[in-house]
Amino acid sequence: MDIKGKLIIIGGAVDKGSFTEVSFDENVANNLNFFEKGILKRIIDESKHKLDSRIEVITTASTIPLEVGAEYIKAFNYLGANNVDVLHIQKREEAVQQEVLDRIEAADVAVFTGGDQLRLTSILGGTRFHKILLEKYQNEEFIYAGTSAGAAASSGSMIYQGSSKEALLKGEIKITSGLGFIDDVIVDTHFVQRGRIGRLFQAVVTNPMVLGIGLGEDTGLLITGGTKMEAVGSGLVILVDGTQIKNTNLTDVSLGEPISISNLVVHVMSQNDTYNLSNGELIIHGESINEIVD
C-alpha cells in the first residue's frame, strides 16, 4: 500500500519505572526538552500546511494531561504554530464522541505525549478514533507524532514492561499489540540513557522478522512512505536486525534463565542518516575526512 502519511517517533526525555513517565509532574517543561533540538520544528515543517496546520495534542498516555498539554501548546506557539489544541481523552467512551471525531478528522497532525503506552492502547485501541487515525495516515498528508509512550505504541507490536537489568532473562520482557501504524518493527524509548539494549535483543530474538528500533532521548525517526526512516534530533537511534541470527537457546531454557544469541546485527544511526525498511540499506550522512580537515 502506498502510504501518504508520515510518522515521527521520538525517544522522550525523562523516564521512571517500567516504561512510564511518572516524573512528568515533577518538571514538565524540562521533560519536553527535545523541542529545543529541532524535532518539534521538523514536525511543523513536514506537515501539510506548515505553520497553519491543524495540530491536535493527545494526552491520553499521561496522568497529568492538563499540565502536559499546556506545555505542548506553549512550545508550538513559540515556533509560530498557533492552530493547536489539546484532546484530553481519558476514557474509551470519550474516544467515540462526535466532537472528538470531528476534531481528529480535521487535524493535519496528531501529537501523542509521553506517559504509559498501555493507556493509549487500552483506551484508544479499536475505537472509531483509532480507525480514523489509521485511515488518515494511510490516505492523507497526515502526521502521527509520538514521544516516549506515543512512539512505543505506534508499531504493531509494543513493549509495555520489562526491566533493563534483567532484560536478557527469558520472559522478562512483556509485549502486546500496539496501534499498528507500522508493521515489522518494535520500538523502545529512552534507549541509550536507560541501557535498554537487552530489552530490544529479547524482543527481536522472539520474532526475528521484526526490526528493533531503540530511540535515544531527544532523538527520533521521521518515517515516510512506511519504509524510509531518517534520524532526527541530537542523539542516537539503535537498530537491531535479527534476520541474520544463526542460533539461540531461547526455546531450550526455562523462564528466568539467560538467553544466548549468535550473529545478531546492530546498526547505529545519528542525525540525517537514513535506513530503508524495504531493503535494509543504511546510508550514513556524515562529514567526509576532507571536510573535517578543511
Side-chain angles (χ1 to χ4, degrees), residues 50-66:
K50 312 305 183 205
L51 290 175
D52 294 325
S53 288
R54 177 60 182 170
I55 301 172
E56 292 285 0
V57 178
I58 310 343
T59 58
T60 304
S62 176
T63 56
I64 51 163
L66 296 179

Side-chain angles (χ1 to χ4, degrees), residues 2 4 29 54 57 62 120 125 129 157 167 199 222 244 256 263:
D2 182 19
K4 295 182 178 180
R54 177 60 182 170
V57 178
S62 176
L120 284 179
F129 184 89
S157 297
R199 300 185 357 159
L222 164 64
Q244 304 302 313
N263 213 53

Side-chain angles (χ1 to χ4, degrees), residues 104-107 132-142:
I104 202 62
E105 283 277 17
I132 289 173
L133 286 171
L134 289 170
E135 290 166 1
K136 288 176 69 69
Y137 170 65
Q138 291 167 355
N139 301 314
E140 300 178 19
E141 295 181 53
F142 175 77

Side-chain angles (χ1 to χ4, degrees), residues 24-43:
F24 250 80
D25 56 350
E26 296 175 8
N27 197 337
V28 173
N30 286 343
N31 288 339
L32 302 180
N33 65 5
F34 59 86
F35 291 155
E36 300 175 5
K37 303 298 183 180
I39 297 178
L40 185 65
K41 185 177 185 303
R42 186 65 182 270
I43 292 174

Side-chain angles (χ1 to χ4, degrees), residues 53-60 65-66 69-70 73 82-89 94-112 128-130 132-133 136 140 142-143:
S53 288
R54 177 60 182 170
I55 301 172
E56 292 285 0
V57 178
I58 310 343
T59 58
T60 304
L66 296 179
I73 289 180
N82 294 299
N83 193 9
V84 185
D85 209 342
V86 180
L87 273 171
H88 297 302
I89 304 171
E94 295 171 355
V96 297
Q97 293 174 356
Q98 193 58 49
E99 178 187 358
V100 171
L101 299 181
D102 289 344
R103 284 176 58 178
I104 202 62
E105 283 277 17
D108 302 301
V109 180
V111 178
F112 286 75
R128 180 59 188 154
F129 184 89
H130 180 203
I132 289 173
L133 286 171
K136 288 176 69 69
E140 300 178 19
F142 175 77
I143 292 178

Side-chain angles (χ1 to χ4, degrees), residues 227 241 275-283:
T227 58
D241 181 355
Y275 183 88
N276 193 317
L277 286 168
S278 297
N279 57 21
E281 181 182 19
L282 172 64
I283 299 177

